[in-house]
Amino acid sequence: TSTETDLTFTPDNSRLCVNIPITNDTVVEGNETFTVNVTSNDTTVQTGPNSNSTVTIIDNDELTIGFDPSTYTVNETDMTVQVCASIQDGSLQRDAVVTLSTSDGTATGASSGSGSGPMVGADYSDVTVELTFDENTTEACVDISIIDDDIVEDTEDFSVTLATDDSAVMLEPDSAIVNILDQDQITIGFDPDDYTVAEGTPTVNLFVSVIGGTLERSVTVVLSLEDGTATFTSQDSPMDYNGAGFPVSLVFDEGTTSFNISVPIEDDNILENPENFNAVLSSTDPAAVLDPDTATVTITDNDVVSIGFDMDSDDVGESAGSVQVCAIVTSDGDLERNVTVTVSTSDGSASSVGSVDYTATTVDLTFGPGIDEVCFDVPITDDQIVEATEDFQIEITSNDPNFQPSTNMTTTINIIDDDTVTIGFEPSSYIVSEADMIVQVCAEIRVGDLQRNAVVNLFTVNGSATAPDDFAPVNVQLTFSDTNTKECVNITIEAEGLNEAPEVFSANLTTDDSSVILDPQSAAITIIDNDTLIIGFNPATYTVTEGTPTVDLVVSVLSGNLARDVDVTLTLQDGTATGMDYSGPSPLVLLFSPSVMSITVPVTIEDDDILENPETFSAVLTSADTEVVLQPDVATVTISDNDNVGVSVEDPSYTVDESDGTVEVCVVLNGTIERNVSVTISTSDGSAIAPEDYTSTETDLTFTPDDSNKMCVNIPIGNDTVVEGNENFTVTVTSNDTSVQIGPNSNSTVTIVDDDEVTLSFGSPSITVTEGINSTYRMCIFKDRELKEPITVTVTTVPGTAQLGDDYTPEMFEVVLSGDGPFSCFRGNITNDNVPEETETFQLILDDPMIPNVIVNVAADEVLVTILDDDLQIITVNDTVIGDPLLTVPLHVMNLNATLGESMLSLCYEVHGKADEYFNLISDAGLSVNARYVAVNDYLNVIDLIGVVAVNSAGVEKEISVDLNGCMAEVDGVNVTRYSSDGTSVRKYSRRVRISVPNCDGPTVVMWVVCQNNILSDPFTGDDIQAEMIKFVVARGLNLSPKSHGLIGQFWSVPVNMSIYTGPDKNAHPGYPRYAVTVDHPDSQRTFTGIFYSLTWEFEEGPCLYVGNRQAGPIYEVDDPNDSVIQGSYEEYQTDGPFGTDFIYSKYDTCSDGSA
């Protein structure tokens, strides 16, 4: 403080002092001085030598300089970090110098000398620099270079330190830590990513390696196995590979850059197609780039199948028409794929040329799951020829690489001939004069043909004539063949020189050949004494065809001498032929004389138009002359019919509705008959196929004289639910009767008019896509029933606020709906125009198709497509309440492939099952599945029993259950390990049960009930709890219909839309993409949006939309529009037992009308 004061000295006081106030100002400023001067106005006072004095003010203030902040975090890729020191406390009026220098921590520094660059392995550049603070400079910063080294390493740090020689400067904080965050990545993947291994190989070795990058720290990668067509059930019961011990963690570091992982391959003795499973890499380490992250292992089957005939030979009668031959699987093991073999015939002694003995046959037989025997027919020709037993062979071959030849690859078919040939005497009576000395007796083949020798014995038998007095006895063998149809034998007649009456003996035939019929078996031989006059018919039998004008009867003097006239009377007598069939003079007197020894009598034969059997009449000789012997005195005339009748199908075409059940086809006979006429009516496939569309028919119809000339047959028509258009088959009439002429309609076409209708509809009334995210949209057209042939429908786009070309393409789609699949899908393009715009819409219109002979209805024919601009809406999420075991339902995702490149998404939700109660999982046409829950502890309930009610293909209801205790399976209360009947099968493995049921008109449902021992997380304490539980999986099936219901069934065919989601949510998972998922259920109560994470659930491999709680992992669901996943409440799905079928939201039906 500036001071001026007067001091007065006295005699007693020669020293005086003054206190000058010094200001303590907290400013660091260096030492300062001011001057104190002594002056006096008293002339007697002389000042000096120290008339003034310098006062130095020593500055004792301090300044605090330190880092602010004291911790820095920098990405390695930022290249620099700026570190700043500033005056923390105090002020300056002079310079203050502080030295800043770096020192290594886990990061290594290096000098960046000119031209040499940082040393290898360095993380930053060393810095030592002086920082000068003054009155105007209160903060000083230094840029420190960070080295981006492409090495994956942990977060590293180095220190920055302050130092000074200025005692007035306090350093606090005098050091700072710089953390360098590593941004480098390392590529790890399968090398190779495709493996093929034979089933019998013990293991397949998977190689996982560092493909790119350098490591200075450890990176953990998890290798998991996922079922494809190859499956793994448990360590106790593996199927195709053994995944016990997986997933495994692979820890890569500086010294470990590759792993060789062995996966055991099971040898199952089941013939199957090549199967595959996937090995998948995952990692939570952001430095790990996994590419390729999936390896496919293909297991080629090493099992073989042997197929042979059930018999090495078989006999068939020639008249059987065909022989059925069966081939069977002769090897052990099961078939899980089809195996085709070819069976073909080859000639032995039987010939197939021209189908003379049998028809050459080559046919493919297909064996497969449940098919271990296949039979086929070989046509046998009934040729009416007597021949020896003949044979041919049938051989099995196959091009299947797993086919192994075995015994019974060839079978021999013996054709046993059952034809007959008639051999008899012709003529059957002989007259011989004693003077002739010899009579020749002949036997011949009268009916039939021979292709082998037939032996007949001819021998004589005494009558009134006896051997050896009247004739020489004969006993000879006659051999007939195809070239020798007649055999004659001479019998010697003995002349006794006695005058006697005519005598008779016979020649008889016998044979041991069962194919030979002897008729006439006996011939009468009359020996006439050469002194007796004999007149008779010569010959005594006549055959004439109806169209011949006359038949000439010859009567002759057969023996003796005639020296006078003799009268003989000829009379005609009806037999089966009457006066309408013949005419002639009767009675007629024939006058014989020495000059007339033979007389011919013509008899007129009438020609009618009546089809009849052969008819006969007789001519009889009588005479009053006692010296005349009439022998033979009767002649028989047989009239063979020459008439024909026409047989025709009444109409050349018939039309029948599929629902009529039968079609009546009639055959008409044109003409008059007096005998039976047989025809055969048979069907053959056209576009209609038996037995699916109609019942194959072959029926013999016999017209009799008493019947009308029209006969009909009813052919059953199949009434299916397949939309197939009009179909046809052919009805043909044939006859083996040579008197039957077929025509004018030898066949008729039957057209089955299809009355089934298919209804088409879009899978959803609306879809929403985001312009910059979804480059395409996907829509599906559903059909409500099966089509026999594919149909093509047209979908047209109609602009709204969205315009064709600017916002979407194309204008039109041609969509082919296949015969069997429930739906067909198509994709359109969304244009990303980078123009800010409002939400826009356009429509898809399903045009009403015009398809010949197919009735197509269109129900839901419009879809509103909404295009959102790139700005995404925010979705607020919340966790749902605690539940119990989680179920998964496959969902139909409209645009999943375009969004994720995945093929499947599952809706995952929890069932709030009460302990000791039953809940319905599936209710469908002819199918119900219920589950029972039991308590694990106070908070966790699990499934321990599955009850299935199903209707088999015979319409019989079956009750199937699987109990966790021993994983026991029962059918109708009976314990089974393997059951198969009428389309329903149950097969028990050690810890799993496969159930397959027909499901009425829907596709077959295949279900797995897996008994597991799992580690569950207590939802309240977080403790791990070991629990036995049942996992229920629907592998295939269910009607894709809104009628399907139950906790699983109600979501079976619900479409889902997805779009990338960037809004806020709880418990975000960095590094995992998120997607907004909209479930568009037809019931608006169950329409909700959730957030999808590309994570996996430990019991369900694959992407999963979680809408339950934390028990199964991260599960999220939005608060708006509502939190309800299922229709109604869980309690409303409770049933009264394992086989209960009384439900609130659906109706179980026994397939009687094919509805649910």
Side-chain angles (χ1 to χ4, degrees):
T1 299
S2 178
T3 301
E4 184 174 338
T5 186
D6 291 335
L7 303 177
T8 302
F9 293 87
T10 66
D12 297 326
N13 187 2
S14 59
R15 184 175 183 268
L16 294 174
C17 294
V18 176
N19 289 320
I20 302 172
I22 301 299
T23 303
N24 188 9
D25 58 11
T26 73
V27 178
V28 176
E29 49 202 347
N31 294 339
E32 296 172 306
T33 62
F34 63 91
T35 302
V36 180
N37 295 310
V38 178
T39 63
S40 177
N41 293 324
D42 190 335
T43 59
T44 62
V45 176
Q46 184 178 357
T47 59
N50 297 324
S51 61
N52 56 57
S53 176
T54 300
V55 180
T56 299
I57 304 173
I58 305 300
D59 187 49
N60 65 348
D61 293 306
E62 292 182 345
L63 183 73
T64 301
I65 297 176
F67 288 107
D68 184 17
S70 61
T71 301
Y72 296 84
T73 299
V74 60
N75 293 324
E76 186 179 81
T77 54
D78 291 344
M79 304 301 291
T80 61
V81 59
Q82 188 178 66
V83 179
C84 295
S86 60
I87 297 174
Q88 305 292 318
D89 187 27
S91 57
L92 267 178
Q93 286 187 354
R94 65 172 175 85
D95 289 348
V97 177
V98 176
T99 300
L100 181 150
S101 60
T102 56
S103 61
D104 291 349
T106 54
T108 301
S111 171
S112 55
S114 62
S116 61
M119 71 176 189
V120 176
D123 301 301
Y124 69 97
S125 295
D126 288 323
V127 170
T128 299
V129 63
E130 287 187 347
L131 308 178
T132 301
F133 298 85
D134 56 29
E135 188 173 359
N136 298 314
T137 304
T138 61
E139 181 183 56
C141 297
V142 176
D143 288 337
I144 303 174
S145 296
I146 303 299
I147 298 172
D148 188 3
D149 55 11
D150 294 328
I151 299 174
V152 175
E153 51 206 341
D154 291 318
T155 297
E156 297 176 310
D157 62 75
F158 63 92
S159 298
V160 185
T161 304
L162 298 176
T164 185
D165 295 330
D166 192 328
S167 60
V169 176
M170 302 293 295
L171 300 175
E172 182 62 37
D174 63 348
S175 65
I177 299 296
V178 179
N179 296 308
I180 305 175
L181 300 182
D182 188 48
Q183 300 294 307
D184 296 305
Q185 292 182 317
I186 187 165
T187 301
I188 297 173
F190 289 102
D191 186 17
D193 61 354
D194 193 15
Y195 299 83
T196 300
V197 59
E199 187 179 79
T201 306
T203 60
V204 60
N205 293 323
L206 309 180
F207 295 92
V208 184
S209 305
V210 174
I211 296 175
T214 306
L215 278 175
E216 280 190 358
R217 69 169 176 86
S218 63
V219 171
T220 299
V221 174
V222 177
L223 188 152
S224 305
L225 301 181
E226 294 181 349
D227 287 353
T229 52
T231 60
F232 163 69
T233 301
S234 68
Q235 188 171 8
D236 297 332
S237 178
M239 288 285 289
D240 302 303
Y241 67 95
N242 194 332
F246 287 88
V248 296
S249 294
L250 312 179
V251 180
F252 293 83
D253 54 31
E254 193 170 0
T256 304
T257 59
S258 65
F259 285 90
N260 180 355
I261 305 300
S262 295
V263 180
I265 303 299
E266 299 297 327
D267 194 355
D268 56 11
N269 198 29
I270 299 173
L271 185 66
E272 52 207 341
N273 289 315
E275 299 175 310
N276 60 68
F277 65 93
N278 292 329
V280 179
L281 300 178
S282 61
S283 178
T284 59
D285 194 321
V289 176
L290 304 176
D291 185 28
D293 63 347
T294 302
T296 300
V297 180
T298 301
I299 305 174
T300 58
D301 193 40
N302 69 334
D303 297 299
V304 296
V305 61
S306 296
I307 296 172
F309 292 107
D310 59 348
M311 294 187 294
D312 55 6
S313 66
D314 196 10
D315 296 339
V316 59
E318 185 181 84
S319 61
S322 64
V323 58
Q324 186 181 71
V325 183
C326 295
I328 60 174
V329 176
T330 59
S331 55
D332 295 331
D334 296 328
L335 295 179
E336 285 192 357
R337 71 168 175 87
N338 290 345
V339 176
T340 299
V341 301
T342 301
V343 294
S344 54
T345 58
S346 60
D347 290 352
S349 56
S351 173
S352 62
V353 178
S355 299
V356 61
D357 296 311
Y358 72 98
T359 300
T361 300
T362 298
V363 63
D364 289 337
L365 308 181
T366 300
F367 298 78
I371 304 174
D372 54 11
E373 179 180 25
V374 181
C375 300
F376 62 97
D377 291 334
V378 178
I380 302 298
T381 302
D382 190 2
D383 54 14
Q384 310 300 317
I385 298 174
V386 176
E387 51 204 339
T389 296
E390 298 173 311
D391 64 67
F392 63 93
Q393 286 73 44
I394 308 177
E395 183 182 9
I396 294 175
T397 59
S398 179
N399 293 323
D400 194 300
N402 295 89
F403 179 80
Q404 177 174 304
S406 65
T407 58
N408 289 353
M409 295 281 289
T410 302
T411 186
T412 298
I413 305 300
N414 299 309
I415 305 175
I416 308 300
D417 187 56
D418 51 11
D419 297 306
T420 60
V421 63
T422 300
I423 298 175
F425 288 107
E426 181 61 37
S428 59
S429 64
Y430 297 84
I431 298 175
V432 58
S433 173
E434 196 175 72
D436 291 343
M437 305 299 291
I438 291 175
V439 60
Q440 188 178 64
V441 179
C442 295
E444 64 181 24
I445 298 174
R446 303 186 66 212
V447 178
D449 296 314
L450 275 176
Q451 279 191 351
R452 64 171 175 83
N453 291 344
V455 176
V456 174
N457 294 319
L458 185 151
F459 60 93
T460 55
V461 177
N462 290 340
S464 55
T466 62
D469 296 332
D470 299 309
F471 64 92
V474 171
N475 190 342
V476 296
Q477 274 191 353
L478 308 180
T479 301
F480 297 85
S481 67
D482 57 343
T483 59
N484 186 31
T485 61
K486 183 175 182 179
E487 285 279 345
C488 296
V489 176
N490 291 329
I491 302 175
T492 301
I493 304 301
E494 301 293 341
E496 300 176 279
L498 299 174
N499 188 4
E500 50 194 350
E503 298 175 309
V504 178
F505 70 96
S506 65
N508 287 352
L509 300 176
T510 62
T511 185
D512 295 328
D513 194 326
S514 61
S515 298
V516 176
I517 298 172
L518 300 174
D519 184 32
Q521 190 174 1
S522 178
I525 303 168
T526 302
I527 303 173
I528 305 299
D529 189 73
N530 53 4
D531 295 322
T532 303
L533 180 65
I534 301 175
I535 296 175
F537 288 105
N538 186 22
T541 59
Y542 298 85
T543 300
V544 60
T545 303
E546 188 180 78
T548 305
T550 62
V551 59
D552 293 331
L553 306 181
V554 179
V555 183
S556 303
V557 176
L558 300 177
S559 180
N561 297 315
L562 184 61
R564 61 179 176 84
D565 291 345
V566 174
D567 292 337
V568 175
T569 300
L570 184 149
T571 304
L572 300 178
Q573 294 182 353
D574 288 351
T576 54
T578 66
M580 297 179 61
D581 301 304
Y582 68 95
S583 62
S586 177
L588 177 65
V589 177
L590 306 178
L591 179 61
F592 290 89
S593 65
S595 62
V596 179
M597 300 294 286
S598 180
I599 299 173
T600 299
V601 180
V603 178
T604 301
I605 303 300
E606 303 296 335
D607 190 4
D608 58 25
D609 293 326
I610 301 172
L611 183 66
E612 51 205 343
N613 290 313
E615 298 174 310
T616 62
F617 67 91
S618 300
V620 180
L621 298 178
T622 59
S623 179
D625 194 327
T626 57
E627 293 183 357
V628 177
V629 175
L630 300 175
Q631 182 68 32
D633 59 349
V634 177
T636 300
V637 180
T638 300
I639 305 174
S640 298
D641 192 46
N642 69 336
D643 296 302
N644 295 314
V645 293
V647 175
S648 173
V649 183
E650 183 176 32
D651 293 317
S653 64
Y654 292 83
T655 299
V656 58
D657 287 341
E658 185 181 70
S659 59
D660 288 348
T662 61
V663 59
E664 183 182 68
V665 177
C666 296
V667 177
V668 294
L669 182 142
N670 298 313
T672 305
I673 60 173
E674 286 188 356
R675 68 171 175 87
N676 292 350
V677 172
S678 294
V679 298
T680 300
I681 187 168
S682 59
T683 59
S684 59
D685 290 347
S687 56
I689 305 298
E692 292 88 351
D693 301 309
Y694 72 98
T695 300
S696 178
T697 301
E698 183 170 333
T699 302
D700 291 334
L701 304 177
T702 300
F703 293 90
T704 68
D706 299 329
D707 291 332
S708 69
N709 283 11
K710 178 177 175 180
M711 300 191 75
C712 301
V713 61
N714 286 319
I715 301 172
I717 302 298
N719 186 15
D720 56 28
T721 60
V722 178
V723 177
E724 50 204 346
N726 296 346
E727 299 176 306
N728 61 72
F729 64 94
T730 301
V731 179
T732 304
V733 62
T734 59
S735 179
N736 293 323
D737 193 325
T738 57
S739 298
V740 175
Q741 295 180 340
I742 305 298
N745 300 325
S746 62
N747 55 56
S748 176
T749 299
V750 179
T751 299
I752 305 173
V753 178
D754 187 35
D755 56 4
D756 296 305
E757 302 179 3
V758 62
T759 298
L760 307 181
S761 61
F762 282 120
S764 173
S766 64
I767 57 174
T768 300
V769 294
T770 302
E771 179 186 283
I773 298 172
N774 305 115
S775 60
T776 64
Y777 64 91
R778 180 172 181 262
M779 177 51 65
C780 296
I781 301 174
F782 286 78
K783 64 179 190 296
D784 65 347
R785 61 180 58 201
E786 182 181 349
L787 299 172
K788 188 168 186 178
E789 298 293 338
I791 64 173
T792 301
V793 297
T794 301
V795 177
T796 305
T797 61
V798 177
T801 53
Q803 297 299 311
L804 176 66
D806 295 336
D807 301 302
Y808 68 91
T809 57
E811 180 180 10
M812 186 178 68
F813 303 89
E814 296 285 342
V815 183
V816 177
L817 291 165
S818 62
D820 52 357
F823 57 86
S824 293
C825 302
F826 60 92
R827 285 188 181 275
N829 301 315
I830 299 299
T831 304
N832 185 15
D833 53 16
N834 298 316
V835 176
E837 52 199 343
E838 298 294 331
T839 296
E840 297 174 311
T841 63
F842 67 95
Q843 282 186 308
L844 300 175
I845 304 297
L846 176 57
D847 297 339
D848 204 349
M850 301 297 294
I851 301 172
N853 300 321
V854 177
I855 304 174
V856 181
N857 300 317
V858 176
D861 60 350
E862 295 183 2
V863 175
L864 181 66
V865 182
T866 300
I867 305 175
L868 301 178
D869 204 25
D870 292 19
D871 299 323
L872 295 176
Q873 60 181 336
I874 294 178
I875 301 178
T876 305
V877 303
N878 70 292
D879 292 343
T880 60
V881 297
I882 302 299
D884 287 316
L886 182 144
L887 300 177
T888 61
V889 180
L891 289 180
H892 171 57
V893 182
M894 304 298 293
N895 56 349
L896 183 59
N897 286 338
T899 305
L900 295 177
E902 301 285 353
S903 60
M904 172 185 156
L905 174 69
S906 291
L907 174 69
C908 304
Y909 64 99
E910 296 199 349
V911 178
H912 296 225
K914 298 179 183 179
D916 302 319
E917 297 290 349
Y918 294 85
F919 287 78
N920 176 245
L921 303 184
I922 297 171
S923 55
D924 208 341
L927 175 64
S928 169
V929 180
N930 296 333
R932 182 177 70 190
Y933 289 82
V934 295
V936 176
N937 63 10
D938 292 338
Y939 309 113
L940 288 175
N941 296 338
V942 298
I943 298 174
D944 78 328
L945 184 141
I946 293 291
V948 177
V949 181
V951 178
N952 65 19
S953 58
V956 178
E957 196 173 77
K958 310 299 289 184
E959 293 183 348
I960 305 165
S961 64
V962 179
D963 196 315
L964 180 62
N965 184 17
C967 213
M968 303 301 293
E970 289 185 355
V971 178
D972 291 339
V974 178
N975 187 277
V976 298
T977 57
R978 196 165 188 172
Y979 170 87
S980 179
S981 178
D982 295 320
T984 299
S985 66
V986 178
R987 184 167 183 180
K988 179 187 181 300
Y989 299 85
S990 62
R991 295 289 292 170
R992 60 192 173 89
V993 177
R994 182 183 186 272
I995 302 171
S996 176
V997 297
N999 197 22
C1000 293
D1001 294 332
T1004 298
V1005 178
V1006 178
M1007 299 167 281
W1008 286 93
V1009 179
V1010 184
C1011 303
Q1012 295 183 327
N1013 190 325
N1014 286 327
I1015 303 298
L1016 304 180
S1017 177
D1018 188 299
F1020 291 95
T1021 66
D1023 296 335
D1024 288 341
I1025 299 173
Q1026 186 168 347
E1028 288 279 337
M1029 61 182 289
I1030 278 179
K1031 171 186 173 183
F1032 175 74
V1033 178
V1034 178
R1036 182 177 73 236
L1038 286 185
N1039 290 336
L1040 298 181
S1041 164
K1043 294 180 179 179
S1044 299
H1045 218 279
L1047 290 171
I1048 290 179
Q1050 64 183 292
F1051 288 100
W1052 195 256
S1053 60
V1054 178
V1056 173
N1057 284 295
M1058 301 184 63
S1059 60
I1060 293 177
Y1061 176 68
T1062 59
D1065 64 14
K1066 297 180 181 180
N1067 306 316
H1069 288 260
Y1072 289 97
R1074 295 168 297 158
Y1075 300 86
V1077 182
T1078 301
V1079 180
D1080 295 324
H1081 198 285
D1083 179 353
S1084 60
Q1085 177 187 354
R1086 289 172 284 157
T1087 298
F1088 63 91
T1089 302
I1091 297 178
F1092 163 71
Y1093 287 81
S1094 57
L1095 305 175
T1096 57
W1097 176 48
E1098 60 179 333
F1099 300 137
E1100 179 66 26
E1101 297 172 349
C1104 189
L1105 171 62
Y1106 294 109
V1107 290
N1109 71 19
R1110 63 188 175 89
Q1111 177 181 324
I1115 302 176
Y1116 304 90
E1117 180 187 357
V1118 298
D1119 188 35
D1120 184 30
N1122 55 64
D1123 287 338
S1124 178
V1125 180
I1126 63 171
Q1127 184 176 8
S1129 65
Y1130 288 103
E1131 289 77 10
E1132 291 177 320
Y1133 291 80
Q1134 191 169 328
T1135 66
D1136 57 0
F1139 308 119
T1141 56
D1142 186 14
F1143 309 121
I1144 293 177
Y1145 294 109
S1146 62
K1147 177 178 177 292
Y1148 166 79
D1149 193 272
T1150 59
C1151 299
S1152 59
D1153 59 358
S1155 65

